[in-house]
Amino acid sequence: MNTELVVPTLGESITEATVSKWLKNIGDSFEADEPLVEIETDKITVEVPAPHAGSLKEIKVKEGSDIEIGGILGIIDESNTNKQTSPKKQDKSPEEKIKPKQENKATLDVKTNPGKSSPSARKIAEENNLDLQKIKSSRPDGRINKEDVLNHINSSDQTKASGREEIVKMSKIRQTISKRLKEAQNTAAILTTFNEVDMSQIMEIRNSKNKEFLERYDVKLGFMSFFVKAVTESLKEFPAVNAEIKDENIIYKNHFDIGIAVGTEKGLVVPVLKNADTMNFGEIEKSIVDLSVKAKDGTLSMDDLSGGTFTISNGGVYGSMLSTPIINRPQSGILGMHNIQKRAVVVDDEIVIRPIMYVALSYDHRIIDGKESVGFLVSVKKLLENPSQLVLGI
């Protein structure tokens, strides 16, 4: 009996995907729920699992080809289920027998410590015959992710471009990023206003309360939770910054779903903190860590990426001093955070040294006036410089 392997529904706005890699070859057997093929959309990369045990009889869509949602990826043969546990095959040549032995050895090396590596990391390591124990993790807990494996490959010069130039087809995600950024510039009337924030009090709170915070919430107290809180409170005061234009209407949002821009090896993704205004500092920090890990491991779901009303982008983690971020359509505003530097500033008519961060608000001038944009950013600044207001509401 044959069964069609189809592209699952991946989200309301997604109509097609690209087959990035087949994880099984024709004739390969597999168990139910075992990943068969990796597909890439304009937002995420997902693995399509086997609906039941069997073997891959036919591949309908080759790697690199596009397919519509609901399209047929391949054909599964259910009659071959019993063969997947067979210890040997009589029709293999000596050369073919050697190859499975080599593949089994590579798999064994990769699975030496599977608990401390992501599925995508193990897959790439297996494809490149790498030992995960020889790959350095960039994470505090020692878990190896996809980016660690790719960095190891690049640093080892195992992949080199031939000649002086290399032509690589843009990924689906990168194509969409390019398209949407250009659409935002062509459609919205984007302006940017700037201000600076004295981070002294926030840094004092982090230094004095971080140990207690870590013990209570099992996560470090970062800067982002303060910014998320300051943004949600300021959006309540300036609702146009949380709105969007649809046709000839303005949609004012009474919910505050804050997108947090995260850089990955495939490009920028923006997972969303749903109902961020109802979350406490610990919930915000834990959610940000979870979403960042999923983004770098390529395991974000469509729900993680949908529904944002406003975005925060932290270019400071890369050392950026100042930037003009582009809004994430159909949203109307985005806040850019930057690197913190000690500067000479005037406080009570005296020159003192303070840790200062420049902040930038890019906004759609079609619905947000200058007064509102400046007022919103000043509100964010005041809340960050007086964090007791964020905690106590006074």
Side-chain angles (χ1 to χ4, degrees):
M1 179 178 174
N2 296 332
T3 304
E4 295 177 343
L5 179 67
V6 301
V7 180
T9 301
L10 300 172
E12 184 178 347
S13 62
I14 296 178
T15 59
E16 68 173 11
T18 300
V19 176
S20 55
K21 184 173 182 60
W22 277 96
L23 308 178
K24 297 292 182 181
N25 297 314
I26 293 177
D28 286 353
S29 300
F30 43 79
E31 299 286 350
D33 297 324
E34 191 173 344
L36 302 184
V37 59
E38 184 181 88
I39 59 175
E40 185 179 85
T41 73
D42 57 359
K43 293 183 177 180
I44 56 175
T45 298
V46 296
E47 293 176 342
V48 180
H52 46 69
S55 64
L56 187 59
K57 181 177 181 180
E58 184 180 354
I59 291 176
K60 290 284 191 180
V61 183
K62 296 180 180 180
E63 293 179 1
S65 300
D66 294 335
I67 181 172
E68 293 184 354
I69 300 301
I72 302 172
L73 290 161
I75 303 296
I76 296 174
D77 183 3
E78 293 184 57
S79 63
N80 202 28
T81 304
N82 296 330
K83 297 181 182 180
Q84 55 192 320
T85 57
S86 177
K88 61 180 180 179
K89 294 186 180 289
Q90 301 294 332
D91 57 345
K92 285 191 174 181
S93 65
E95 292 81 4
E96 290 174 322
K97 291 179 180 178
I98 293 173
K99 183 177 180 181
K101 288 182 180 179
Q102 294 173 335
E103 292 174 344
N104 290 338
K105 180 180 183 300
T107 302
L108 183 62
D109 290 339
V110 168
K111 293 182 179 178
T112 302
N113 192 4
K116 285 205 169 187
S117 58
S118 67
S120 56
R122 294 197 294 272
K123 184 179 68 175
I124 297 175
E126 181 177 350
E127 292 169 353
N128 291 273
N129 196 22
L130 300 176
D131 185 352
L132 283 175
Q133 289 186 324
K134 297 180 180 179
I135 298 175
K136 184 178 180 181
S137 171
S138 60
R139 289 165 49 88
D141 59 4
R143 189 168 186 263
I144 297 170
N145 57 31
K146 183 177 181 180
E147 188 174 0
D148 294 329
V149 180
L150 293 174
N151 289 338
H152 177 83
I153 293 173
N154 292 332
S155 63
S156 301
D157 292 327
Q158 295 186 36
T159 54
K160 295 183 178 179
S162 58
R164 298 178 61 188
E165 296 180 349
E166 180 182 13
I167 300 175
V168 180
K169 184 179 179 180
M170 291 177 70
S171 67
K172 202 77 173 178
I173 292 175
R174 178 59 63 184
Q175 291 179 43
T176 302
I177 289 173
S178 302
K179 179 181 178 182
R180 289 184 175 175
L181 289 178
K182 192 58 182 174
E183 283 179 351
Q185 288 183 318
N186 291 342
T187 304
I190 303 177
L191 292 181
T192 305
T193 186
F194 305 93
N195 215 314
E196 61 182 21
V197 177
D198 183 344
M199 300 291 288
S200 299
Q201 291 197 37
I202 290 178
M203 295 179 76
E204 288 177 7
I205 291 174
R206 290 184 71 224
N207 291 334
S208 62
K209 299 295 183 180
N210 194 44
K211 183 178 179 181
E212 296 176 34
F213 191 88
L214 182 61
E215 290 175 351
R216 174 174 292 189
Y217 297 108
D218 197 29
V219 66
K220 291 182 178 180
L221 176 59
F223 292 116
M224 189 60 78
S225 53
F226 289 94
F227 277 82
V228 170
K229 279 293 185 182
V231 161
T232 55
E233 291 303 311
S234 299
L235 288 175
K236 294 175 183 178
E237 186 178 353
F238 298 92
V241 186
N242 200 47
E244 69 175 68
I245 292 178
K246 187 172 184 180
D247 300 325
E248 296 180 353
N249 301 312
I250 299 176
I251 302 175
Y252 290 95
K253 308 295 181 66
N254 296 321
H255 55 99
F256 305 90
D257 302 331
I258 308 301
I260 308 296
V262 178
T264 70
E265 70 273 6
K266 287 191 174 182
L268 192 71
V269 293
V270 188
V272 178
L273 295 177
K274 303 294 176 61
N275 298 314
D277 60 315
T278 65
M279 302 170 73
N280 62 36
F281 281 72
E283 291 170 335
I284 292 173
E285 292 292 352
K286 291 183 74 171
S287 297
I288 290 173
V289 170
D290 291 341
L291 290 171
S292 297
V293 170
K294 291 169 71 174
K296 291 177 181 178
D297 288 347
T299 57
L300 285 170
S301 67
M302 284 306 305
D303 185 61
D304 293 328
L305 295 164
S306 61
T309 62
F310 185 89
T311 295
I312 302 175
S313 178
N314 186 7
V317 296
Y318 305 111
S320 172
M321 297 302 301
L322 195 63
S323 66
T324 55
I326 299 177
I327 61 175
N328 183 23
R329 291 186 68 236
Q331 298 171 22
S332 298
I334 179 172
L335 181 72
M337 298 168 57
H338 300 91
N339 199 13
I340 300 172
Q341 292 286 326
K342 289 185 178 180
R343 304 185 188 283
V345 296
V346 177
V347 177
D348 296 329
D349 294 329
E350 292 185 0
I351 298 177
V352 296
I353 304 298
R354 293 289 176 85
I356 301 296
M357 176 194 288
Y358 291 132
V359 288
L361 172 71
S362 290
Y363 60 98
D364 189 345
H365 202 15
R366 293 179 300 169
I367 61 172
I368 303 172
D369 295 328
K371 180 181 179 181
E372 292 175 300
S373 64
V374 172
F376 171 85
L377 197 56
V378 168
S379 173
V380 170
K381 168 186 168 68
K382 287 181 177 179
L383 290 169
L384 292 172
E385 292 183 340
N386 298 278
S388 62
Q389 294 184 45
L390 295 174
V391 179
L392 303 176
I394 56 176

